[in-house]
Amino acid sequence: MKHEDIAKQIIKDVGGADNINNAWHCMTRLRFNLKDEKKVDYAALEKIPKVVGTKYQSDQLQVVIGTDVADYFAPLAKELGLDENSQQENTEKKGAVSLFMDTVSGVFGPIVPAIAGAGMIKGLMAGLVALNVISNQTDTYLVIDMIASGVFTFLPFFVAASAARIFKTNQYLAIAIAATLQFPTMTNAVAEGNVSAFQLFGLVPVPVFNYAGTVIPIIFAVLALSYIYRWVDKILPQVLRTVFTPTISLFVAGLVTLTVIGPISIHLGNLLAAGVAGLFTISPVLAGIVVGAIRPIAIFTGLHHAMTPIALQNFANQGYDMLMPMMFMANMAITGATAAIYTKVKTKEEKSIVLSSAVSGILGITEPALFGILSKYKKAFIAATIGSSVASAFISFFGVRIYGYILSSIFSLPAYIGQYFIFAVLGIIIALVLSFALTYMMVPKEMDEDAELTNEVDLHAVSKGAYVPLEDVPDEVFSTKMMGEGFAIKSTDGAVFSPVSGTVTTVFPSKHAIGIKTSNGVEVLVHMGIDTVALNGQGFEVFVKEGDQVSVETKLAQMDLDYIRNQGKETMIIVVITNMDRVLSFSGMRDLEGQHPAGTLLERAVLN
């Protein structure tokens, strides 16, 4: 049966849509608030494929599906006319920086091959030019440069297509917005430099800016488009939507982008540049610390373009510049952090992408490393930022400068020959070694490929506390093993660690449950407390996110045991294997009663 068919059957067997006041889901169960529980046909419900069991508790009907419950809730919500997203019990709150990084990582994931390939070509060509092996004036260079630079020049188009998928809006309208930003009318006006703004309707100024290679304007433009499109589609009659929804959405989103979103993004870059220039008047070392720290995120957001005019002006006014050496240090720090990730990933494909990104970085093209690697590994990004800041402060202290504009790559090193050469070399070493070392220490290693060949999965104690057999857990869904085999721990300190090595697949918005998948395909659920989904995340602090690699030493979460108990909830932590079809036998030991430290090997599953 299809997901939609199962959802319709569930609605029918709980008494029909008219019997449902509200519906939502937790990590494993559909939950219903019903008008009349007597209308529920429990026997029919439990015969539905994918329904593992049912339970009525705390005035809620719980239909146990499993960890893929969200796949069934989506059509169920649509059938009931509910907002699929708003019906989750809580939305995980992320910091603005973390949310932004996750969004950009999601946007750039699909386009990494294009960026990495173009970056490698561009970096190699720049290196050959720097070594005077080839000239950048030949037709051959110009043709190859078109291949390499096209991706970066028209990056907004790639970003628009990918962002539309993330923000769930029309992909071709998103590309149309990118085309608006880089239409020849705009690019020609920038090149000629004689028009500062177009006058829309004779009243509204449309500033003239160069959006080539930018990231932030188009991401926020597509985000705005997603809201505008849904709003227009909602208010228009059905018969008019096909033609007028895209028409109105493109017109409104295009105007908002040209008059508000785009200019604000460019002005942010200009403010950044002005601030950097001001720092040099206070202290070059302070400028090194700050510029080194903000350079990676500036490249990440496209705001780094605003720093180039400062460097060019320094050459004109002083005959030298101290800003570009800091850019060099940032590139080396980004390269060092990326290289360290090579030691952490496990698949040949991942290693290949990391290696090419690191090579591009040392050749001066850091976008593949930032967008393809460091956006996914936040701690590595932090390590690169620290390495960049320390190295930039170091070279600033010794007055390292450059006397001509050159790409910040390893091939730029001859340009530093002179009294500052040794300090430039030491700065590079600091940037590479510090960022590499910090990343190596901070980012957990993924399991070796050989681990995938094992046919056993060891389950470890997730917290310091007493072992509880699954049959003794006061929740029928777990004690009857509807969800699978496992055990529970009655924690004494609330610290929750991973029971296995693997990848975090799910962190439920209410923070009470985390799903982990091992390299050999076993899906493990860590469920913190019983009926704690109702706490809406209160009493829980989660330290991991989807996609993170974890081991038995990884702390997943911290429970506020006193708070949870005061809310009348059981605090034991339940660990279950949810895809028991992968398991041939489960140890099910019964001589484990008593206290155990976190990480103790408790159970073992042998796979078929």
Side-chain angles (χ1 to χ4, degrees):
M1 293 178 71
K2 295 181 179 179
H3 293 85
E4 294 80 4
D5 296 332
I6 290 175
K8 289 177 182 178
Q9 189 62 46
I10 290 173
I11 292 171
K12 175 178 177 293
D13 292 340
V14 301
D18 292 341
N19 193 40
I20 301 172
N21 286 324
N22 198 7
W24 62 99
H25 71 93
C26 63
M27 189 75 168
T28 58
R29 318 171 198 189
L30 294 171
R31 294 173 178 256
F32 297 91
N33 179 271
L34 303 176
K35 295 176 182 176
D36 186 357
E37 192 243 337
K38 294 179 181 177
K39 293 183 178 180
V40 178
D41 187 339
Y42 285 98
L45 267 178
E46 296 188 3
K47 290 179 181 178
I48 298 174
K50 282 302 297 182
V51 173
V52 180
T54 59
K55 180 181 180 181
Y56 196 86
Q57 178 178 298
S58 303
D59 296 323
Q60 294 175 8
L61 171 64
Q62 302 174 17
V63 179
V64 183
I65 300 292
T67 52
D68 56 346
V69 64
D71 295 336
Y72 295 89
F73 179 75
L76 184 139
K78 184 176 181 180
E79 193 73 21
L80 295 175
L82 302 172
D83 182 344
E84 176 187 345
N85 297 316
S86 67
Q87 294 305 308
Q88 292 187 10
E89 298 225 345
N90 187 39
T91 300
E92 182 182 5
K93 294 179 175 62
K94 295 184 178 181
V97 173
S98 179
L99 180 61
F100 171 77
M101 297 269 297
D102 288 344
T103 300
V104 174
S105 175
V107 168
F108 278 93
I111 61 179
V112 163
I115 296 174
M120 180 69 79
I121 297 171
K122 195 172 180 68
L124 288 171
M125 294 299 290
L128 293 174
V129 170
L131 293 174
N132 293 319
V133 175
I134 61 173
S135 168
N136 59 5
Q137 301 301 315
T138 65
D139 286 351
T140 299
Y141 175 89
L142 294 176
V143 170
I144 296 175
D145 185 61
M146 285 192 289
I147 298 172
S149 298
V151 173
F152 297 103
T153 300
F154 297 102
L155 192 57
F157 287 82
F158 294 84
V159 173
S162 190
R165 178 182 57 85
I166 296 294
F167 299 132
K168 296 180 174 59
T169 193
N170 187 282
Q171 192 172 51
Y172 297 99
L173 286 178
I175 295 171
I177 298 294
T180 300
L181 291 175
Q182 293 193 252
F183 193 72
T185 302
M186 178 68 80
T187 57
N188 291 341
V190 171
E192 293 169 5
N194 55 7
V195 178
S196 61
F198 301 109
Q199 296 300 316
L200 180 65
F201 307 126
L203 297 171
V204 181
V206 177
V208 171
F209 289 119
N210 180 14
Y211 292 102
T214 58
V215 174
I216 297 302
I218 193 62
I219 288 179
F220 281 101
V222 176
L223 177 62
L225 171 67
S226 68
Y227 284 101
I228 292 168
Y229 190 95
R230 285 194 290 268
W231 176 72
V232 172
D233 201 52
K234 185 177 181 180
I235 63 173
L236 284 179
Q238 181 73 39
V239 70
L240 299 178
R241 291 176 183 172
T242 302
V243 175
F244 287 99
T245 294
T247 302
I248 297 172
S249 299
L250 177 59
F251 184 75
V252 175
L255 291 183
V256 170
T257 301
L258 288 170
T259 58
V260 180
I261 295 173
I264 286 177
S265 301
I266 298 297
H267 287 311
L268 282 174
N270 293 335
L271 283 173
L272 176 64
V276 169
L279 286 172
F280 275 96
T281 63
I282 300 172
S283 165
V285 174
L286 177 61
I289 293 171
V290 176
V291 172
I294 65 176
R295 181 69 182 177
I297 193 69
I299 302 172
F300 196 79
T301 58
L303 299 179
H304 65 300
H305 293 298
M307 293 187 186
T308 302
I310 300 177
L312 295 175
Q313 193 62 43
N314 288 339
F315 289 129
N317 295 344
Q318 305 167 167
Y320 66 87
D321 172 62
M322 295 177 66
L323 183 60
M324 289 200 68
M326 298 178 192
M327 300 178 187
F328 191 7
M329 297 304 109
N331 285 2
M332 296 302 100
I334 291 167
T335 300
T338 303
I341 294 298
Y342 184 88
T343 68
K344 302 294 182 178
V345 297
K346 61 180 181 179
T347 68
K348 292 179 180 178
E349 182 181 1
E350 288 174 314
K351 286 183 179 291
S352 176
I353 291 174
V354 171
L355 181 60
S356 65
S357 298
V359 172
S360 293
I362 206 164
L363 295 177
I365 308 299
T366 53
E367 283 83 355
L370 282 167
F371 297 137
I373 310 301
L374 301 191
S375 66
K376 295 191 294 184
Y377 296 90
K378 308 301 185 301
K379 292 179 180 178
F381 190 95
I382 293 170
T385 300
I386 294 171
S388 172
S389 185
V390 172
S392 296
F394 174 83
I395 64 170
S396 296
F397 179 79
F398 290 102
V400 175
R401 60 198 62 184
I402 194 170
Y403 295 92
Y405 189 92
I406 190 170
L407 185 71
S408 296
S409 81
I410 199 66
F411 293 111
S412 305
L413 200 52
Y416 291 86
I417 292 176
Q419 69 180 105
Y420 302 109
F421 181 73
I422 184 61
F423 303 115
V425 171
L426 290 173
I428 292 171
I429 294 172
I430 290 171
L432 286 168
V433 172
L434 183 58
S435 60
F436 185 99
L438 289 174
T439 301
Y440 190 84
M441 291 186 292
M442 294 166 62
V443 177
K445 185 177 182 179
E446 297 180 11
M447 286 184 297
D448 296 331
E449 291 184 33
D450 291 343
E452 297 181 10
L453 303 177
T454 64
N455 69 335
E456 293 181 347
V457 171
D458 292 336
L459 299 178
H460 298 77
V462 289
S463 189
K464 177 184 179 182
Y467 172 91
V468 179
L470 201 59
E471 301 90 75
D472 295 343
V473 172
D475 185 327
E476 292 178 6
V477 171
F478 293 111
S479 63
T480 58
K481 302 184 180 180
M482 288 183 195
M483 293 302 304
E485 285 279 9
F487 60 90
I489 294 289
K490 204 162 184 64
S491 177
T492 58
D493 58 10
V496 184
F497 294 84
S498 176
V500 293
S501 293
T503 304
V504 176
T505 56
T506 311
V507 177
F508 200 70
S510 53
K511 303 179 183 178
H512 76 294
I514 296 172
I516 301 168
K517 189 173 185 178
T518 67
S519 62
N520 43 21
V522 174
E523 297 170 1
V524 180
L525 173 66
V526 179
H527 196 285
M528 293 171 273
I530 295 176
D531 203 29
T532 45
V533 64
L535 299 180
N536 293 324
Q538 296 297 313
F540 299 94
E541 184 178 5
V542 175
F543 305 115
V544 294
K545 64 182 183 309
E546 291 181 18
D548 281 356
Q549 297 294 317
V550 296
S551 66
V552 294
E553 292 86 20
T554 304
K555 188 174 182 180
L556 303 178
Q558 178 68 46
M559 300 171 65
D560 186 338
L561 299 179
D562 290 336
Y563 175 85
I564 296 170
R565 291 190 192 105
N566 289 338
Q567 304 307 307
K569 306 297 182 183
E570 171 59 58
T571 59
M572 67 172 57
I573 306 161
I574 304 137
V575 177
V576 293
I577 296 174
T578 58
N579 60 338
M580 288 298 293
D581 57 304
R582 291 281 291 110
V583 177
L584 178 65
S585 64
F586 187 79
S587 60
M589 302 183 125
R590 291 296 169 265
D591 57 350
L592 294 171
E593 281 78 358
Q595 296 287 322
H596 299 279
T600 303
L601 175 60
L602 295 179
E603 304 278 16
R604 175 168 291 158
V606 178
L607 310 184
N608 51 32

